[in-house]
Amino acid sequence: MLNFTVGPVMSESGVLEFGAQSTPYFRTSEFSQLMLQSEALALKALEAPPHSRCVFLTTSGTGAMETLVMHVLNARDKVLVVNGGGFGERFAELCRLHGREMSEIRLSFGSSLREEDLEPFARQGYTALLVNMCETSSGVLYDMPLIARFCKRNGILLLVDAISSFIADELKMAEWGIAAVITGSQKALAVQPGIALVALAPEALQRVEENPDVSMYLSLKSALKNGERGQTPFTPAVTVLLQINWRLRSIDENGGVARERERICARAHAFRRGVTNLPFTLLAQSPSNAVTALKVKHGAEDITRILKDDYGIWVCPNGGEYADTVFRVGHIGYIVEADERALLDALYDMNAKGLLQ
């Protein structure tokens, strides 16, 4: 099967080799050194400010979203959430669950964020803003410099879910004044799922230190303390951490994140050019390099099913009210030119058979 979803994605052979081995014992000095190296490489890739930290939680991306709400925010915060789709709604749900005072910047599905969307919330006493840099359900990439300027002008702590965007899209943690960034192992890092990365700038670290712990397993205090010695508080997904280390080293040794981003960007643009003669419409006004959301009149679920069953290709369906009209194609992971050609050939073959509406 060829995998063009937005995660988990296809992996290089160097990553896959770890899965064929027994998981090693991890309470060792060798594993600690590997973890400290991974932290340094992750912070470099994120362009984090000095004295930042990165911890590795054995959880999905949603676990990292929740730990930001629990441990960086507190009951005194007045929070803004950018809600333009399923994952923006998830941040809003987490704020409601944990009793955070919250307002939503609601955007229509696939729409970009504009200055006029932010302005009504200026000088209103908000202390933090949560945003999914790429709203993965629609493929839209929000204007992070715009958001960063708004947060700086208003003294707002900026917390960013870059689960889909990390590596695929430009991300400058220090320059944009981002206090915390989260991402996941199964996206552009292109390893197995199971690990969420949480990078914390000094202002977020101070918040974590001052706020009381409200969780044992997702405690950032505990993760940071254990991370000082290159360890985790509980048994982690060891094999995935080994894969992450291999992948971060490989990216760093082969031109860095900028070079990897160029490859992902080239794939995204080539695919979008390739489908111009098909009965699709690009949904996102400002799409991420990570994913292309395609709108059809109807039959999106049938398209994803036929691609899987008849052509051996996975793409992402959408749920809810967009299940019949939107599907998504990912551009992250170990995708080569022959794979891209196979997907386009399959779509054109389906069109020739009258299967696309």
Side-chain angles (χ1 to χ4, degrees), residues 127-174:
T127 59
L129 184 146
L130 294 168
V131 61
N132 314 91
M133 181 173 166
C134 166
E135 173 49 70
T136 317
S137 64
S138 68
V140 69
L141 177 70
Y142 293 128
D143 186 338
M144 290 307 303
L146 172 68
I147 294 171
R149 291 192 297 271
F150 171 80
C151 288
K152 186 175 182 179
R153 286 197 306 270
N154 289 276
I156 293 173
L157 196 74
L158 178 54
L159 310 179
V160 176
D161 159 12
I163 292 171
S164 294
S165 287
F166 176 53
I167 300 175
D169 300 305
E170 187 175 58
L171 204 171
K172 297 176 178 291
M173 196 172 171

Side-chain angles (χ1 to χ4, degrees), residues 272-293:
R272 290 164 192 162
R273 288 194 302 270
V275 297
T276 52
N277 294 320
L278 294 173
F280 302 142
T281 303
L282 292 181
L283 175 67
Q285 295 175 356
S286 53
S288 164
N289 293 323
V291 56
T292 299

Side-chain angles (χ1 to χ4, degrees), residues 14-33:
V15 169
L16 297 175
E17 288 175 6
F18 290 97
Q21 303 169 17
S22 295
T23 301
Y25 183 60
F26 65 98
R27 300 295 192 199
T28 64
S29 60
E30 291 82 4
F31 187 78
S32 292
Q33 289 303 308

Side-chain angles (χ1 to χ4, degrees), residues 166-187:
F166 176 53
I167 300 175
D169 300 305
E170 187 175 58
L171 204 171
K172 297 176 178 291
M173 196 172 171
E175 182 178 323
W176 296 344
I178 300 173
V181 172
I182 60 173
T183 190
S185 56
Q186 78 278 19
K187 302 291 186 176

Side-chain angles (χ1 to χ4, degrees), residues 248-305:
L248 287 171
R249 286 189 290 109
S250 176
I251 291 171
D252 192 57
E253 293 165 3
N254 289 282
V257 167
R259 183 69 180 275
E260 184 72 6
R261 184 181 304 121
E262 287 175 6
R263 286 191 282 268
I264 296 170
C265 182
R267 289 200 295 263
H269 285 287
F271 175 77
R272 290 164 192 162
R273 288 194 302 270
V275 297
T276 52
N277 294 320
L278 294 173
F280 302 142
T281 303
L282 292 181
L283 175 67
Q285 295 175 356
S286 53
S288 164
N289 293 323
V291 56
T292 299
L294 295 169
K295 190 172 182 179
V296 296
K297 292 180 180 178
H298 61 83
E301 290 178 300
D302 291 334
I303 291 171
T304 62
R305 176 184 55 78

Side-chain angles (χ1 to χ4, degrees), residues 54-306:
C54 183
V55 296
F56 300 81
L57 305 178
T58 298
T59 182
S60 68
T62 300
M65 293 170 74
E66 187 161 27
T67 201
L68 288 187
V69 173
M70 288 192 297
H71 296 121
V72 178
L73 302 180
N74 59 52
R76 297 183 300 277
D77 280 306
K78 186 178 178 182
V79 185
L80 272 174
V81 173
V82 178
N83 186 349
F87 292 95
E89 178 60 31
R90 188 167 300 178
F91 258 144
E93 290 174 2
L94 287 166
C95 286
R96 286 190 285 265
L97 176 64
H98 292 284
R100 307 299 185 232
E101 183 182 353
M102 180 266 301
S103 299
E104 298 174 63
I105 304 172
R106 285 196 165 270
L107 305 171
S108 59
F109 194 61
S111 294
S112 301
L113 181 72
R114 302 163 301 173
E115 185 80 52
E116 49 263 44
D117 298 313
L118 293 168
E119 192 54 34
F121 302 94
R123 301 171 295 280
Q124 299 297 314
Y126 289 98
T127 59
L129 184 146
L130 294 168
V131 61
N132 314 91
M133 181 173 166
C134 166
E135 173 49 70
T136 317
S137 64
S138 68
V140 69
L141 177 70
Y142 293 128
D143 186 338
M144 290 307 303
L146 172 68
I147 294 171
R149 291 192 297 271
F150 171 80
C151 288
K152 186 175 182 179
R153 286 197 306 270
N154 289 276
I156 293 173
L157 196 74
L158 178 54
L159 310 179
V160 176
D161 159 12
I163 292 171
S164 294
S165 287
F166 176 53
I167 300 175
D169 300 305
E170 187 175 58
L171 204 171
K172 297 176 178 291
M173 196 172 171
E175 182 178 323
W176 296 344
I178 300 173
V181 172
I182 60 173
T183 190
S185 56
Q186 78 278 19
K187 302 291 186 176
L189 272 173
V191 306
Q192 292 173 346
I195 294 291
L197 287 69
V198 182
L200 302 162
E203 57 266 43
L205 290 169
Q206 183 177 350
R207 283 292 201 98
V208 172
E209 181 61 30
E210 293 172 351
N211 289 338
D213 257 338
V214 293
S215 170
M216 177 183 286
Y217 189 71
L218 291 178
S219 167
L220 288 178
K221 273 193 180 75
S222 182
L224 287 162
K225 182 63 177 175
N226 282 271
E228 291 174 2
R229 61 190 180 96
Q231 286 290 333
T232 58
F234 311 106
T235 302
V238 176
T239 296
V240 183
L241 289 170
L242 295 174
Q243 292 175 333
I244 288 173
N245 179 263
W246 186 93
R247 182 82 167 107
L248 287 171
R249 286 189 290 109
S250 176
I251 291 171
D252 192 57
E253 293 165 3
N254 289 282
V257 167
R259 183 69 180 275
E260 184 72 6
R261 184 181 304 121
E262 287 175 6
R263 286 191 282 268
I264 296 170
C265 182
R267 289 200 295 263
H269 285 287
F271 175 77
R272 290 164 192 162
R273 288 194 302 270
V275 297
T276 52
N277 294 320
L278 294 173
F280 302 142
T281 303
L282 292 181
L283 175 67
Q285 295 175 356
S286 53
S288 164
N289 293 323
V291 56
T292 299
L294 295 169
K295 190 172 182 179
V296 296
K297 292 180 180 178
H298 61 83
E301 290 178 300
D302 291 334
I303 291 171
T304 62
R305 176 184 55 78
I306 292 168

